[in-house]
């Protein structure tokens, strides 16, 4: 029978320099942080990072010099509006950007998922977004003859996402209230790797009850790795909430080279088990309070 | 406004709430403490039909108070990310936002200050501003009214489209482009001047037109009639505001 179970290191070994890597989740929610940390401590370089809804994933990869080009709509830590690591790298001109509207981003994923050369949209008209290279206009062939933006496909080589449950075949459950656009990211990408909180038997997924949480059919999932708390410090709700104190620590680590070195040696250049104990262990992360919006 | 004796934050909240008078049954998003309290105030008073979210992924029956709340909200339905786009692209939403820069056309910026390739200051990124701006009504709140916010030329990176004919194919503005109110620490403005130029609508108590003009990087249209004074909050409105913001976060924004 099919078995797609891998380790984080095996997933990272499938990536190579210059690849385009799509990152799922949203800002502080369900980011594939264990994989991001593993990329940060790897020798990978010159990546095109495709993270429409960026959070500390983008900041970490920016601060560790992994990004050649960033395709995104925003980078934020939500409760902490601006990510200082992202800002510092961006202000140095450390990487190229292709900055698109949030809706355009998933429209581009949709075009890729449907193997279309573009999807028409009004979004971007009247703004500087469409003055960046890579956009063309198209005239409606119908009576209205409206000028529209021809949003090109966004096609990552690889998608990395975090979910809650999986079996060993890659049947995924994403138990969040909001799945964000992880499904489209997977459909747009050549290959997709998923970290999950827990790998269980197919029967234990109770798919008949949980079908609404099944992100995508397993044929689109290349590999799964069990990484409990793999989204930390972003949320893996309902399993655990955002670690705001850790995000503050991460944010503060941009203040000096010394603090950033400390952060890296405590939280990045360590294996996942050491990371988890450095952030307080499973019981602490499991009992983080719900954030206030 | 520093010497004024009336509570500025409450005045600005009631002025912001006016953006949603007669809004009907639409999604309302007030981003930041003052717009959010204002949206709640509008819902509790003259626009009960508007739909407000918990800031995460749900519509709630009642606006949630800011800060720690002990009351369990009644959820009306999901407002997940996908649905938000479906709603906003349909036009059935009116947002109030606080960009970093705005210009005479209502074009607004939250992406970068300086050159886009190597910015002097990197901020959030364009977010959903391009789509919001041409799909549904938008209003603005600015706690500071000065020439760094109300810039002289165009904003550094146009994230929100505005009434600038040069930026449209054949000069044709998108049908959904509908910029409404601008509330600041000094006054209330709208886009009711010639060719949608920014016009003064009311001055907060004690503020003069010259003070507004001196702090704005472009000419502000002044109606010929005497300029009204922004309405003071009523006791009923003040009570609702303090219920929506028991920790007085409005004073710190």
């Amino acid at each position: 029978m099919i078995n797609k179970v891998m380790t984080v290191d095996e997933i990272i070994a499938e990536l190579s320099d210059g690849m385009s890597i799509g990152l799922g989740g949203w800002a502080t929610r369900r980011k594939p942080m264990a994989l991001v940390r593993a990329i940060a401590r790897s020798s990978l370089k010159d990546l095109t990072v495709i993270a429409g809804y960026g959070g500390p994933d983008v900041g970490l990869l920016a601060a560790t010099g992994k990004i050649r080009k960033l395709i995104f709509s925003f980078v934020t830590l939500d409760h902490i509006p601006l990510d200082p690591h992202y800002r510092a790298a961006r202000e140095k001109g450390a990487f190229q950007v292709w900055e698109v509207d949030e809706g355009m981003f998933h429209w581009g994923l949709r075009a890729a998922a449907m193997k279309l050369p573009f999807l028409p949209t009004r979004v971007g008209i009247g703004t500087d977004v469409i003055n960046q290279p890579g956009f063309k206009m198209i005239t409606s062939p119908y009576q209205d003859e409206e000028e529209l933006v021809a949003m090109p496909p966004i096609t990552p080589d690889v998608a990395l996402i975090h979910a809650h449950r999986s079996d060993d075949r890659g049947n995924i459950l994403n138990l969040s209230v909001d799945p964000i656009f992880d499904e489209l990211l997977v459909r747009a990408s050549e290959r997709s790797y998923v970290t999950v909180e827990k790998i269980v038997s197919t029967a234990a997924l109770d798919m008949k009850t949980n079908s609404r949480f099944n992100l995508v059919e397993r044929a689109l999932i290349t590999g799964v790795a069990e990484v409990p708390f793999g989204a930390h410090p972003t949320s893996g709700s309902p399993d655990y909430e955002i670690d705001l104190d850790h995000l503050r620590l991460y944010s503060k680590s941009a203040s000096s080279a010394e603090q950033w070195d400390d952060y890296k040696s405590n939280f990045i250049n360590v294996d996942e088990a050491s990371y988890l104990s450095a952030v307080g262990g499973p019981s602490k992360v499991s009992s983080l309070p719900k954030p206030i919006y | 406004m520093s010497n004024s004796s009336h509570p500025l934050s409450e005045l600005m909240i009631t002025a912001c709430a006016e953006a949603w008078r007669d809004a009907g049954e639409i999604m309302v998003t007030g981003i930041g403490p003052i717009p959010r309290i204002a949206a709640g105030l509008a819902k509790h008073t003259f626009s009960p039909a508007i739909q407000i979210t918990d800031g995460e992924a749900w519509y709630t029956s009642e606006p949630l108070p800011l800060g720690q709340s002990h009351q369990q909200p009644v959820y009306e339905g999901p407002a997940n990310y996908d649905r938000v786009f479906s709603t906003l692209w349909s036009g059935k939403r009116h947002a109030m936002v606080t960009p970093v820069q705005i210009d005479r056309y209502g074009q607004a910026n939250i992406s970068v200050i300086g050159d886009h390739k190597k910015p002097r200051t990197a901020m959030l990124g364009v977010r959903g501003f391009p789509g919001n701006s041409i799909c549904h009504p938008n209003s603005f709140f600015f706690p500071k009214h000065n020439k760094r916010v109300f810039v002289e030329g165009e904003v550094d990176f146009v994230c929100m489209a505005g009434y600038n004919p040069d930026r449209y194919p054949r000069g044709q503005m998108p049908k959904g482009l509908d910029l409404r109110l601008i509330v600041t620490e000094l006054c209330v403005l709208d886009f009711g001047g010639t060719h949608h130029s920014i016009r003064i609508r009311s001055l907060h108590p004690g503020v003069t037109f010259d003070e507004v003009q001196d702090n704005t990087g472009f000419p502000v249209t002044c109606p010929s009639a005497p300029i009204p004074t922004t309405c003071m909050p009523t006791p009923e409105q003040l009570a609702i505001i303090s219920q929506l913001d028991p920790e007085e976060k409005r004073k710190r924004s």
Side-chain angles (χ1 to χ4, degrees):
Chain A
M1 195 49 212
I2 309 163
N3 189 330
K4 296 180 183 169
V5 177
M6 301 174 76
T7 65
V8 164
D9 290 341
E10 285 167 346
I11 293 173
I12 300 305
E14 295 294 314
L15 310 180
S16 52
D17 294 349
M19 254 188 185
S20 60
I21 297 184
L23 299 170
W26 183 96
T28 51
R29 300 175 200 162
R30 233 185 38 255
K31 284 287 178 182
M33 292 306 292
L35 290 168
V36 167
R37 285 187 286 270
I39 293 173
R41 62 177 172 264
S42 76
S43 64
L44 286 165
K45 58 179 196 293
D46 296 330
L47 303 175
T48 293
V49 170
I50 301 178
Y53 318 119
D57 50 342
V58 175
L60 269 185
L61 296 178
T64 49
K66 298 297 177 189
I67 308 178
R68 187 182 60 82
K69 183 176 182 181
L70 177 66
I71 296 178
F72 78 123
S73 295
F74 61 77
V75 178
T76 182
L77 307 174
D78 204 18
H79 289 78
I80 305 163
L82 302 173
D83 181 324
H85 293 288
Y86 157 75
R87 294 185 78 180
R90 180 89 175 86
E91 288 166 11
K92 277 188 213 129
F95 45 81
Q96 302 166 41
V97 295
W98 199 55
E99 187 168 339
V100 301
D101 171 90
E102 293 170 32
M104 286 176 118
F105 183 81
H106 72 75
W107 216 230
L109 296 179
R110 242 175 251 272
M114 294 192 281
K115 318 283 186 211
L116 284 168
F118 68 90
L119 277 172
T121 178
R122 288 192 187 96
V123 179
I125 287 178
T127 74
D128 276 323
V129 166
I130 56 170
N131 293 337
Q132 298 172 101
F135 289 104
K136 289 194 171 168
M137 304 296 285
I138 185 153
T139 307
S140 165
Y142 296 101
Q143 256 179 349
D144 55 274
E145 294 183 350
E146 187 174 349
E147 283 276 300
L148 298 160
V149 177
M151 180 65 199
I154 296 173
T155 51
D157 294 322
V158 164
L160 303 178
I161 65 165
H162 186 76
H164 298 88
R165 308 284 179 269
S166 171
D167 62 7
D168 57 11
R169 304 170 196 182
N171 288 302
I172 305 294
L173 292 180
N174 176 336
L175 302 174
S176 300
V177 169
D178 192 341
I180 316 291
F181 290 103
D182 284 8
E183 179 195 341
L184 283 178
L185 181 66
V186 168
R187 292 193 188 281
S189 303
E190 291 289 324
R191 286 183 281 145
S192 294
Y193 298 96
V194 188
T195 52
V196 294
E197 293 299 320
K198 204 169 164 53
I199 294 179
V200 298
S201 70
T202 307
L205 292 171
D206 190 11
M207 207 48 100
K208 212 123 185 242
T209 311
N210 290 322
S211 61
R212 292 177 58 218
F213 300 110
N214 178 216
L215 193 71
V216 71
E217 49 279 23
R218 69 171 156 77
L220 296 173
I221 302 298
T222 317
V224 290
E226 185 177 81
V227 187
F229 310 103
H232 183 277
T234 70
S235 84
S237 178
D239 291 338
Y240 51 94
E241 302 294 339
I242 299 167
D243 193 338
L244 275 175
D245 285 341
H246 189 88
L247 286 176
R248 283 186 200 107
L249 183 74
Y250 157 81
S251 192
K252 216 167 147 259
S253 74
S255 316
S256 70
E258 206 176 24
Q259 287 178 75
W260 176 232
D261 283 341
D262 274 356
Y263 186 89
K264 278 195 292 191
S265 57
N266 290 329
F267 303 110
I268 299 176
N269 299 327
V270 293
D271 62 23
E272 206 47 32
S274 311
Y275 175 84
L276 187 55
S277 83
V279 299
S283 60
K284 188 191 164 201
V285 178
S286 301
S287 56
L288 288 164
K290 270 182 132 16
I292 297 164
Y293 287 98
Chain B
M1 292 296 288
S2 50
N3 296 327
S4 70
S5 57
H6 69 266
L8 177 61
S9 53
E10 286 84 354
L11 178 84
M12 294 193 295
I13 290 166
T14 50
C16 287
E18 288 298 325
W20 298 296
R21 191 179 278 277
D22 306 319
E25 199 162 12
I26 59 161
M27 178 184 195
V28 160
T29 313
I31 298 176
I34 288 197
R36 179 172 154 190
I37 299 164
L41 177 62
K43 187 170 170 66
H44 274 308
T45 54
F46 42 71
S47 288
I50 61 176
Q51 288 197 284
I52 292 180
T53 76
D54 64 352
E56 193 178 5
W58 296 97
Y59 288 111
T60 56
S61 281
E62 300 292 322
L64 293 194
L66 271 67
Q68 192 79 51
S69 173
H70 300 290
Q71 94 197 49
Q72 180 64 31
V74 176
Y75 295 107
E76 289 197 350
N80 55 287
Y81 212 25
D82 195 8
R83 270 200 184 188
V84 171
F85 291 100
S86 303
T87 303
L88 80 89
W89 285 346
S90 79
K92 291 180 89 63
R93 185 199 200 202
H94 180 167
M96 181 177 282
V97 293
T98 300
V100 176
Q101 295 179 319
I102 187 167
D103 62 28
R104 68 190 67 204
Y105 306 109
Q107 298 177 140
N109 176 23
I110 50 166
S111 171
V112 293
I113 300 294
D115 176 38
H116 190 247
K117 287 194 176 70
K118 191 174 180 295
R120 194 160 72 248
T121 307
M123 302 177 298
L124 284 171
V126 295
R127 291 216 64 159
F129 272 31
N132 293 357
S133 62
I134 60 158
C135 293
H136 62 65
N138 283 277
S139 293
F140 303 91
F141 166 66
F142 295 102
K144 291 278 170 255
H145 190 137
N146 59 46
K147 288 181 176 174
R148 281 193 312 178
V149 176
F150 289 84
V151 297
E152 193 181 334
E154 285 188 90
V155 296
D156 290 8
F157 195 78
V158 176
C159 302
M160 276 184 93
Y163 299 110
N164 179 1
D166 293 345
R167 287 196 175 252
Y168 297 99
R170 304 191 291 263
Q172 201 119 50
M173 313 250 180
K175 285 189 211 79
L177 177 66
D178 184 0
L179 305 179
R180 300 272 180 93
L181 279 193
I182 304 174
V183 176
T184 80
E185 61 176 335
L186 299 180
C187 62
V188 181
L189 304 151
D190 64 18
F191 293 83
T194 317
H195 304 301
H196 302 283
S197 67
I198 292 177
R199 176 181 74 170
I200 197 108
R201 195 179 167 103
S202 69
L203 292 164
H204 298 344
V207 178
T208 64
F209 176 78
D210 288 348
E211 200 177 343
V212 172
Q213 184 58 76
D214 290 348
N215 285 288
T216 307
F218 50 84
V220 177
T221 302
C222 182
S224 48
I227 305 169
T229 302
T230 311
C231 288
M232 297 293 282
T234 64
E236 187 212 357
Q237 287 176 316
L238 289 173
I240 294 169
I241 290 168
S242 60
Q243 178 246 311
L244 288 169
D245 180 27
E247 296 167 16
E248 302 202 328
K249 287 181 189 285
R250 62 190 178 277
K251 310 268 190 205
R252 297 191 290 272
S253 56

